[in-house]
Structure formats: structure tokens, C-alpha cells
Coordinates of all heavy atoms in Angstrom, one line a residue:
M1 N 85.9 -37.0 16.6 CA 85.0 -38.1 16.9 C 83.6 -37.6 17.1 O 83.4 -36.6 17.8 CB 85.5 -38.9 18.2 CG 85.0 -40.3 18.2 SD 85.8 -41.2 19.6 CE 84.6 -40.9 20.9
K2 N 82.7 -38.3 16.4 CA 81.3 -37.9 16.5 C 80.5 -38.7 17.6 O 80.6 -39.9 17.6 CB 80.7 -38.1 15.1 CG 79.4 -37.3 14.9 CD 78.9 -37.6 13.5 CE 77.4 -37.8 13.5 NZ 76.9 -38.7 12.6
T3 N 79.9 -38.0 18.4 CA 79.1 -38.7 19.4 C 77.6 -38.5 19.1 O 77.2 -37.4 18.7 CB 79.4 -38.1 20.9 OG1 79.3 -36.7 20.8 CG2 80.7 -38.6 21.4
E4 N 76.9 -39.6 19.2 CA 75.5 -39.6 18.9 C 74.8 -38.9 20.1 O 75.0 -39.1 21.3 CB 74.9 -41.0 18.8 CG 75.4 -41.8 17.6 CD 74.9 -41.2 16.3 OE1 73.8 -40.8 16.3 OE2 75.7 -41.1 15.4
P5 N 73.8 -38.0 19.8 CA 73.1 -37.4 20.9 C 72.2 -38.4 21.5 O 71.7 -39.3 20.9 CB 72.2 -36.3 20.1 CG 72.2 -36.7 18.7 CD 73.4 -37.5 18.5
V6 N 72.0 -38.3 22.8 CA 71.1 -39.2 23.5 C 69.7 -38.8 23.1 O 69.2 -37.7 23.4 CB 71.3 -39.1 25.0 CG1 70.4 -40.1 25.7 CG2 72.7 -39.4 25.3
T7 N 69.0 -39.7 22.5 CA 67.6 -39.4 22.2 C 66.6 -40.2 23.0 O 66.8 -41.3 23.4 CB 67.3 -39.7 20.7 OG1 67.7 -41.0 20.4 CG2 68.1 -38.7 19.8
N8 N 65.5 -39.5 23.3 CA 64.4 -40.2 24.0 C 63.6 -41.0 22.9 O 63.2 -40.4 21.9 CB 63.5 -39.1 24.6 CG 62.4 -39.7 25.4 OD1 62.1 -40.9 25.3 ND2 61.8 -38.8 26.2
P9 N 63.5 -42.3 23.2 CA 62.8 -43.1 22.2 C 61.4 -42.6 22.0 O 60.8 -42.8 20.9 CB 62.8 -44.5 22.8 CG 63.3 -44.4 24.2 CD 64.0 -43.1 24.3
L10 N 60.8 -42.0 22.9 CA 59.5 -41.5 22.8 C 59.4 -40.4 21.7 O 58.3 -40.2 21.1 CB 58.9 -40.9 24.1 CG 58.7 -41.9 25.2 CD1 58.2 -41.2 26.4 CD2 57.6 -43.0 24.8
D11 N 60.5 -39.8 21.4 CA 60.5 -38.8 20.4 C 60.2 -39.3 19.0 O 59.8 -38.6 18.1 CB 61.9 -38.1 20.3 CG 62.1 -37.2 21.5 OD1 61.1 -36.9 22.2 OD2 63.2 -36.8 21.7
K12 N 60.3 -40.6 18.9 CA 60.1 -41.3 17.6 C 58.6 -41.5 17.4 O 58.1 -41.8 16.3 CB 60.8 -42.6 17.5 CG 62.3 -42.5 17.3 CD 62.8 -43.9 17.1 CE 64.3 -43.8 16.6 NZ 64.7 -45.1 16.1
L13 N 57.8 -41.4 18.4 CA 56.4 -41.7 18.3 C 55.6 -40.5 17.9 O 55.9 -39.4 18.4 CB 55.8 -42.2 19.6 CG 56.4 -43.5 20.1 CD1 55.8 -43.8 21.5 CD2 56.0 -44.6 19.2
P14 N 54.7 -40.6 17.0 CA 53.8 -39.5 16.7 C 53.0 -39.1 18.0 O 52.8 -40.0 18.8 CB 52.8 -40.1 15.6 CG 53.2 -41.5 15.4 CD 54.3 -41.8 16.2
P15 N 52.7 -37.9 18.1 CA 52.0 -37.4 19.3 C 50.9 -38.3 19.8 O 50.8 -38.5 21.0 CB 51.5 -36.0 19.0 CG 52.4 -35.6 17.9 CD 52.8 -36.8 17.1
I16 N 50.1 -38.7 18.9 CA 48.9 -39.5 19.3 C 49.3 -40.8 20.0 O 48.6 -41.3 20.9 CB 48.0 -39.8 18.1 CG1 46.6 -40.3 18.6 CG2 48.6 -40.8 17.1 CD1 45.5 -40.0 17.6
L17 N 50.5 -41.3 19.7 CA 50.9 -42.6 20.3 C 51.6 -42.3 21.7 O 52.0 -43.3 22.4 CB 51.9 -43.3 19.4 CG 51.2 -43.9 18.1 CD1 52.2 -44.7 17.4 CD2 50.0 -44.8 18.5
K18 N 51.9 -41.1 22.0 CA 52.5 -40.8 23.2 C 51.5 -40.6 24.4 O 51.9 -40.3 25.5 CB 53.3 -39.5 23.1 CG 54.6 -39.6 22.3 CD 55.4 -38.4 22.4 CE 56.1 -38.1 21.1 NZ 56.8 -36.8 21.1
K19 N 50.3 -40.7 24.0 CA 49.3 -40.5 25.1 C 49.0 -41.8 25.9 O 49.3 -42.9 25.4 CB 48.0 -40.1 24.4 CG 48.0 -38.7 23.8 CD 46.6 -38.4 23.3 CE 46.7 -37.0 22.5 NZ 45.5 -36.9 21.7
N20 N 48.5 -41.6 27.1 CA 48.1 -42.7 27.9 C 49.2 -43.8 28.1 O 48.9 -44.9 28.0 CB 46.8 -43.3 27.3 CG 45.7 -42.3 27.1 OD1 45.6 -41.4 27.9 ND2 44.9 -42.5 26.1
L21 N 50.4 -43.3 28.3 CA 51.5 -44.3 28.5 C 51.3 -45.2 29.7 O 51.8 -46.3 29.7 CB 52.8 -43.5 28.6 CG 53.3 -42.8 27.3 CD1 54.5 -42.0 27.6 CD2 53.5 -43.8 26.2
D22 N 50.6 -44.6 30.7 CA 50.4 -45.4 31.9 C 49.0 -46.1 31.9 O 48.6 -46.5 33.0 CB 50.5 -44.5 33.1 CG 49.6 -43.3 33.1 OD1 49.0 -43.1 32.0 OD2 49.5 -42.5 34.1
R23 N 48.4 -46.3 30.8 CA 47.2 -47.0 30.7 C 47.5 -48.4 30.0 O 48.6 -48.5 29.3 CB 46.2 -46.3 29.8 CG 45.8 -45.0 30.3 CD 44.4 -45.0 30.8 NE 43.9 -43.7 31.2 CZ 43.2 -42.9 30.3 NH1 42.8 -43.4 29.2 NH2 42.9 -41.7 30.7
N24 N 46.6 -49.3 30.1 CA 46.8 -50.6 29.5 C 46.7 -50.5 28.0 O 45.7 -50.0 27.5 CB 45.8 -51.6 30.0 CG 46.0 -52.0 31.4 OD1 47.1 -51.9 31.9 ND2 44.9 -52.4 32.1
L25 N 47.7 -50.9 27.3 CA 47.6 -51.1 25.8 C 46.9 -52.4 25.6 O 46.0 -52.5 24.8 CB 48.9 -51.0 25.1 CG 48.8 -51.0 23.6 CD1 49.9 -50.1 23.0 CD2 49.0 -52.4 23.1
C26 N 47.4 -53.4 26.3 CA 46.8 -54.7 26.2 C 45.8 -54.9 27.4 O 46.2 -55.1 28.5 CB 47.8 -55.8 26.2 SG 47.1 -57.4 26.1
V27 N 44.5 -54.7 27.1 CA 43.6 -54.7 28.2 C 43.3 -56.2 28.6 O 43.0 -56.4 29.8 CB 42.2 -54.0 27.9 CG1 42.4 -52.5 27.8 CG2 41.7 -54.5 26.6
C28 N 43.5 -57.1 27.7 CA 43.2 -58.5 28.1 C 44.2 -58.9 29.2 O 43.8 -59.6 30.1 CB 43.4 -59.4 26.9 SG 42.2 -59.2 25.6
N29 N 45.4 -58.5 29.1 CA 46.4 -59.0 30.0 C 46.9 -57.9 30.9 O 47.9 -58.0 31.7 CB 47.6 -59.7 29.3 CG 47.2 -61.1 28.9 OD1 46.4 -61.7 29.5 ND2 47.9 -61.6 27.9
E30 N 46.3 -56.7 30.8 CA 46.7 -55.5 31.7 C 48.2 -55.2 31.5 O 49.0 -55.2 32.5 CB 46.4 -55.8 33.1 CG 44.9 -56.0 33.3 CD 44.5 -56.0 34.8 OE1 45.3 -56.0 35.6 OE2 43.3 -56.0 35.0
V31 N 48.6 -55.0 30.3 CA 50.0 -54.6 30.0 C 50.0 -53.1 29.7 O 49.3 -52.7 28.7 CB 50.6 -55.4 28.9 CG1 52.1 -55.1 28.8 CG2 50.5 -56.9 29.1
L32 N 50.8 -52.3 30.4 CA 50.8 -50.9 30.2 C 51.5 -50.6 28.9 O 52.5 -51.3 28.5 CB 51.6 -50.2 31.3 CG 51.1 -50.4 32.7 CD1 52.0 -49.6 33.7 CD2 49.6 -49.9 32.8
K33 N 51.1 -49.5 28.2 CA 51.7 -49.1 27.0 C 53.2 -48.8 27.2 O 54.0 -49.2 26.4 CB 51.0 -47.8 26.5 CG 51.5 -47.4 25.1 CD 50.9 -46.1 24.8 CE 50.2 -46.1 23.5 NZ 49.6 -44.8 23.2
I34 N 53.5 -48.2 28.3 CA 55.0 -47.9 28.5 C 55.8 -49.1 28.7 O 57.0 -49.1 28.3 CB 55.1 -46.9 29.8 CG1 56.5 -46.3 29.9 CG2 54.7 -47.5 31.1 CD1 56.9 -45.4 28.8
D35 N 55.2 -50.2 29.3 CA 55.9 -51.4 29.4 C 56.2 -52.0 28.0 O 57.3 -52.6 27.8 CB 55.2 -52.4 30.2 CG 55.1 -52.0 31.7 OD1 56.0 -51.2 32.1 OD2 54.3 -52.6 32.4
I36 N 55.3 -51.9 27.1 CA 55.5 -52.4 25.8 C 56.6 -51.6 25.1 O 57.4 -52.1 24.4 CB 54.2 -52.4 25.0 CG1 53.2 -53.4 25.7 CG2 54.4 -52.7 23.5 CD1 51.8 -53.4 25.2
I37 N 56.5 -50.3 25.2 CA 57.5 -49.4 24.6 C 58.9 -49.7 25.1 O 59.8 -49.9 24.4 CB 57.2 -47.9 24.9 CG1 55.9 -47.5 24.1 CG2 58.3 -47.0 24.6 CD1 55.4 -46.1 24.4
N38 N 59.0 -49.9 26.4 CA 60.3 -50.3 27.0 C 60.8 -51.6 26.5 O 62.0 -51.8 26.2 CB 60.2 -50.3 28.6 CG 60.1 -48.9 29.2 OD1 60.6 -48.0 28.6 ND2 59.6 -48.8 30.3
A39 N 59.9 -52.6 26.3 CA 60.3 -53.9 25.8 C 60.9 -53.7 24.4 O 61.9 -54.3 24.0 CB 59.2 -54.8 25.8
I40 N 60.2 -52.9 23.6 CA 60.7 -52.6 22.2 C 62.0 -51.9 22.2 O 63.0 -52.3 21.5 CB 59.6 -51.8 21.4 CG1 58.3 -52.6 21.3 CG2 60.2 -51.5 20.0 CD1 57.1 -51.8 20.8
V41 N 62.1 -50.9 23.1 CA 63.4 -50.2 23.1 C 64.5 -51.1 23.6 O 65.7 -51.0 23.2 CB 63.2 -48.9 24.1 CG1 64.6 -48.3 24.4 CG2 62.3 -47.9 23.5
D42 N 64.2 -52.0 24.5 CA 65.2 -53.0 25.0 C 65.5 -54.1 24.0 O 66.2 -55.0 24.3 CB 64.8 -53.6 26.3 CG 64.9 -52.6 27.4 OD1 65.5 -51.5 27.2 OD2 64.3 -52.8 28.5
G43 N 64.9 -54.0 22.8 CA 65.3 -55.0 21.8 C 64.2 -55.9 21.2 O 64.5 -56.8 20.4
A44 N 63.0 -55.9 21.8 CA 62.0 -56.7 21.2 C 61.4 -56.1 19.9 O 60.7 -55.1 20.0 CB 60.9 -56.9 22.2
T45 N 61.8 -56.6 18.8 CA 61.5 -55.9 17.5 C 60.4 -56.6 16.8 O 60.1 -56.3 15.6 CB 62.8 -55.8 16.6 OG1 63.3 -57.1 16.5 CG2 63.8 -54.8 17.3
T46 N 59.8 -57.7 17.3 CA 58.7 -58.3 16.7 C 57.6 -58.5 17.7 O 57.8 -58.4 18.9 CB 59.1 -59.7 16.2 OG1 59.5 -60.5 17.3 CG2 60.3 -59.7 15.2
V47 N 56.4 -58.7 17.2 CA 55.3 -58.9 18.1 C 55.5 -60.2 19.0 O 55.3 -60.1 20.2 CB 54.0 -59.1 17.3 CG1 52.8 -59.5 18.2 CG2 53.6 -57.8 16.5
A48 N 56.2 -61.2 18.4 CA 56.4 -62.4 19.1 C 57.4 -62.1 20.3 O 57.2 -62.6 21.4 CB 57.1 -63.5 18.2
E49 N 58.4 -61.3 20.1 CA 59.3 -60.9 21.2 C 58.6 -60.1 22.3 O 58.8 -60.3 23.5 CB 60.5 -60.2 20.7 CG 61.5 -61.2 19.9 CD 62.6 -60.4 19.2 OE1 63.3 -59.6 19.9 OE2 62.7 -60.6 18.0
V50 N 57.8 -59.1 21.8 CA 57.0 -58.3 22.8 C 56.1 -59.2 23.6 O 56.0 -59.1 24.8 CB 56.2 -57.2 22.1 CG1 55.3 -56.5 23.0 CG2 57.1 -56.2 21.4
K51 N 55.5 -60.2 23.0 CA 54.6 -61.1 23.6 C 55.4 -61.9 24.7 O 54.9 -62.0 25.8 CB 54.0 -62.0 22.6 CG 53.1 -63.0 23.1 CD 52.8 -64.2 22.2 CE 51.8 -63.8 21.1 NZ 51.4 -65.0 20.3
K52 N 56.6 -62.4 24.3 CA 57.4 -63.2 25.2 C 57.7 -62.4 26.5 O 57.7 -62.9 27.6 CB 58.6 -63.6 24.5 CG 59.2 -64.9 25.0 CD 60.1 -65.6 24.0 CE 61.5 -65.1 24.1 NZ 62.3 -65.6 23.0
Q53 N 58.1 -61.1 26.3 CA 58.5 -60.3 27.4 C 57.4 -59.7 28.3 O 57.6 -59.5 29.5 CB 59.4 -59.1 26.9 CG 60.7 -59.6 26.4 CD 61.6 -58.4 26.2 OE1 61.5 -57.3 26.8 NE2 62.6 -58.5 25.3
T54 N 56.3 -59.4 27.6 CA 55.3 -58.6 28.4 C 53.9 -59.4 28.5 O 53.1 -58.9 29.3 CB 55.0 -57.3 27.7 OG1 54.4 -57.6 26.4 CG2 56.2 -56.5 27.5
Y55 N 53.7 -60.4 27.7 CA 52.4 -61.1 27.7 C 51.4 -60.3 26.9 O 50.2 -60.7 26.9 CB 51.9 -61.5 29.1 CG 52.8 -62.5 29.7 CD1 53.6 -62.1 30.8 CD2 52.9 -63.8 29.3 CE1 54.5 -62.9 31.4 CE2 53.8 -64.7 29.9 CZ 54.6 -64.3 31.0 OH 55.5 -65.1 31.5
A56 N 51.8 -59.2 26.4 CA 50.8 -58.4 25.6 C 50.4 -59.3 24.3 O 51.3 -60.1 23.9 CB 51.4 -57.1 25.1
T57 N 49.3 -59.1 23.8 CA 48.7 -59.8 22.6 C 48.3 -61.2 22.9 O 47.9 -61.9 22.1 CB 49.6 -59.8 21.4 OG1 50.7 -60.7 21.5 CG2 50.2 -58.4 21.1
M58 N 48.5 -61.7 24.2 CA 48.2 -63.1 24.4 C 46.7 -63.4 24.8 O 46.4 -64.5 25.1 CB 49.1 -63.6 25.5 CG 50.5 -63.8 25.0 SD 51.6 -64.5 26.2 CE 51.4 -66.3 25.8
G59 N 45.9 -62.3 24.9 CA 44.5 -62.5 25.1 C 43.9 -62.9 23.8 O 44.2 -64.0 23.3
S60 N 43.0 -62.1 23.4 CA 42.3 -62.5 22.1 C 43.1 -61.9 20.9 O 42.7 -62.0 19.8 CB 40.9 -62.0 22.1 OG 40.9 -60.6 22.4
G61 N 44.2 -61.3 21.2 CA 45.1 -60.7 20.1 C 44.6 -59.4 19.6 O 45.1 -58.9 18.6
C62 N 43.7 -58.8 20.3 CA 43.1 -57.6 19.8 C 44.0 -56.4 19.8 O 43.8 -55.4 19.1 CB 41.8 -57.2 20.6 SG 41.8 -57.8 22.3
C63 N 45.2 -56.4 20.4 CA 46.1 -55.3 20.4 C 47.3 -55.5 19.5 O 48.2 -54.6 19.5 CB 46.6 -55.0 21.9 SG 47.4 -56.4 22.6
V64 N 47.3 -56.5 18.7 CA 48.4 -56.8 17.8 C 48.7 -55.6 16.9 O 49.9 -55.2 16.8 CB 48.2 -58.1 17.0 CG1 49.2 -58.2 15.9 CG2 48.2 -59.3 17.8
K65 N 47.7 -55.0 16.3 CA 47.9 -53.9 15.4 C 48.6 -52.8 16.1 O 49.5 -52.1 15.6 CB 46.6 -53.4 14.9 CG 46.1 -54.2 13.7 CD 46.7 -53.7 12.4 CE 46.4 -54.6 11.3 NZ 47.5 -55.5 11.0
Q66 N 48.2 -52.5 17.4 CA 48.8 -51.4 18.1 C 50.3 -51.7 18.5 O 51.1 -50.8 18.4 CB 48.0 -51.1 19.4 CG 46.7 -50.6 19.1 CD 45.9 -50.4 20.4 OE1 46.2 -49.5 21.2 NE2 45.0 -51.3 20.7
V67 N 50.5 -52.9 18.8 CA 51.9 -53.3 19.1 C 52.8 -53.2 17.8 O 53.9 -52.7 17.9 CB 52.0 -54.7 19.7 CG1 53.4 -55.2 19.8 CG2 51.3 -54.8 21.0
E68 N 52.2 -53.6 16.7 CA 52.9 -53.5 15.5 C 53.3 -52.1 15.1 O 54.4 -51.8 14.7 CB 52.1 -54.1 14.3 CG 52.1 -55.6 14.2 CD 51.2 -56.2 13.2 OE1 50.4 -55.4 12.6 OE2 51.2 -57.4 13.0
R69 N 52.3 -51.2 15.4 CA 52.5 -49.8 15.1 C 53.6 -49.2 16.0 O 54.5 -48.5 15.5 CB 51.2 -49.1 15.3 CG 51.3 -47.6 15.0 CD 51.3 -47.3 13.6 NE 51.3 -45.9 13.3 CZ 52.3 -45.3 12.6 NH1 53.2 -46.0 12.0 NH2 52.3 -44.0 12.5
L70 N 53.6 -49.6 17.2 CA 54.7 -49.1 18.1 C 56.1 -49.6 17.6 O 57.0 -48.8 17.6 CB 54.4 -49.5 19.5 CG 53.3 -48.8 20.3 CD1 53.1 -49.4 21.6 CD2 53.7 -47.3 20.5
I71 N 56.1 -50.9 17.3 CA 57.4 -51.4 16.8 C 57.9 -50.7 15.5 O 59.0 -50.2 15.4 CB 57.3 -52.9 16.4 CG1 57.0 -53.7 17.7 CG2 58.5 -53.4 15.7 CD1 56.7 -55.2 17.5
E72 N 56.9 -50.4 14.6 CA 57.2 -49.7 13.4 C 57.8 -48.3 13.7 O 58.8 -48.0 13.1 CB 55.9 -49.6 12.7 CG 55.9 -49.2 11.2 CD 54.5 -49.1 10.7 OE1 53.8 -50.1 10.6 OE2 54.1 -48.0 10.4
C73 N 57.2 -47.6 14.6 CA 57.7 -46.3 14.9 C 59.0 -46.3 15.6 O 59.9 -45.5 15.3 CB 56.6 -45.5 15.7 SG 55.1 -45.2 14.9
L74 N 59.1 -47.2 16.6 CA 60.3 -47.1 17.5 C 61.5 -47.7 16.8 O 62.6 -47.4 17.1 CB 60.0 -47.9 18.8 CG 59.0 -47.2 19.7 CD1 58.5 -48.1 20.8 CD2 59.6 -45.9 20.3
C75 N 61.3 -48.6 15.9 CA 62.4 -49.3 15.2 C 62.8 -48.7 13.9 O 63.8 -49.1 13.3 CB 62.1 -50.8 15.0 SG 61.8 -51.6 16.5
S76 N 62.1 -47.7 13.5 CA 62.5 -47.0 12.2 C 63.7 -46.1 12.5 O 63.8 -45.5 13.6 CB 61.3 -46.2 11.7 OG 61.1 -45.0 12.5
P77 N 64.6 -46.0 11.5 CA 65.8 -45.2 11.8 C 65.5 -43.8 11.9 O 66.2 -43.1 12.7 CB 66.6 -45.5 10.5 CG 65.7 -46.1 9.5 CD 64.5 -46.7 10.3
E78 N 64.5 -43.3 11.3 CA 64.1 -41.9 11.4 C 63.0 -41.6 12.3 O 62.1 -42.4 12.4 CB 63.7 -41.4 10.0 CG 64.6 -41.9 8.9 CD 65.2 -40.8 8.1 OE1 64.5 -39.9 7.7 OE2 66.4 -40.8 8.0
A79 N 63.0 -40.5 13.0 CA 61.9 -40.2 13.9 C 60.7 -39.8 13.0 O 60.9 -39.1 12.0 CB 62.3 -39.0 14.8
K80 N 59.6 -40.3 13.4 CA 58.4 -39.9 12.6 C 57.8 -38.6 13.2 O 57.9 -38.4 14.4 CB 57.4 -41.0 12.7 CG 57.8 -42.3 12.0 CD 56.9 -42.7 11.0 CE 57.5 -43.7 10.0 NZ 57.3 -45.0 10.4
K81 N 57.2 -37.9 12.4 CA 56.6 -36.7 12.8 C 55.1 -36.9 13.1 O 54.5 -37.7 12.4 CB 56.7 -35.5 11.8 CG 58.2 -35.1 11.7 CD 58.5 -34.1 12.8 CE 59.9 -34.0 13.1 NZ 61.0 -34.0 13.5
Ligands
FES101 S1 44.2 -56.3 24.4 FE1 46.0 -57.4 24.1 S2 45.3 -59.4 23.6 FE2 43.5 -58.2 23.9

């Protein structure tokens, strides 16, 4: 029987996206980057779902691209380098 190794979801992020995890990614609503990452890891795979869980992107929408990028990296089957 093959067991999957436990992987840290952060390993899927390119180094530049692993920075400032405890800073606000969504400055309009003061949502921490790590909170957005956790929401994605917990199953929010679209911007709409991340928005519902964290209120990120609900200000002027200026962080949508960053949220999309995080979803793209975290939800891809392969770890990005
Ligand atoms: S920074 Fe998130 S909506 Fe503006």
C-alpha cells in the first residue's frame, strides 16, 4: 500500500509568494495572506469562495489577481518551483 507523504501546502508556492504571510494580502479588509492560503487549502478553489470565507477582495477588488495567483499555485497538482 502506498501512502502519500504529508506535504506542506506552502511548498507549492514559489519563494516570492511565501513572504509576508503574516501581513495583509487584502489591505482593504485587513485579511492576512496566511488566512487566504488556509482558506484555499481548506477547499476554497475560486476567488468567490475565498471571498465568502475571508472577505478578501471585497474592498475595491485590488487584490483579486493575488488571490487568483495563490489559488493557481496551491491548487495545481504539481508543486511549482
Ligand atoms: S486589497 Fe483586497 S479588495 Fe483591496
Side-chain angles (χ1 to χ4, degrees):
M1 205 171 90
K2 199 178 139 213
T3 48
E4 293 293 322
V6 180
T7 53
N8 183 344
L10 291 178
D11 290 345
K12 289 187 165 192
L13 294 176
I16 193 156
L17 292 183
K18 287 189 214 172
K19 290 184 186 163
N20 302 329
L21 293 175
D22 54 353
R23 300 250 187 98
N24 290 335
L25 183 145
C26 181
V27 288
C28 294
N29 282 334
E30 299 190 353
V31 186
L32 301 179
K33 187 187 234 181
I34 190 69
D35 288 344
I36 293 169
I37 291 173
N38 284 335
I40 298 169
V41 171
D42 288 344
T45 54
T46 62
V47 172
E49 285 172 55
V50 171
K51 182 196 276 190
K52 209 159 87 188
Q53 288 193 28
T54 66
Y55 298 105
T57 75
M58 288 185 93
S60 53
C62 27
C63 57
V64 169
K65 280 272 169 265
Q66 293 177 73
V67 173
E68 279 174 354
R69 181 76 181 124
L70 285 174
I71 292 171
E72 196 182 292
C73 293
L74 291 167
C75 297
S76 71
E78 318 239 309
K80 295 239 162 91
K81 291 278 158 244

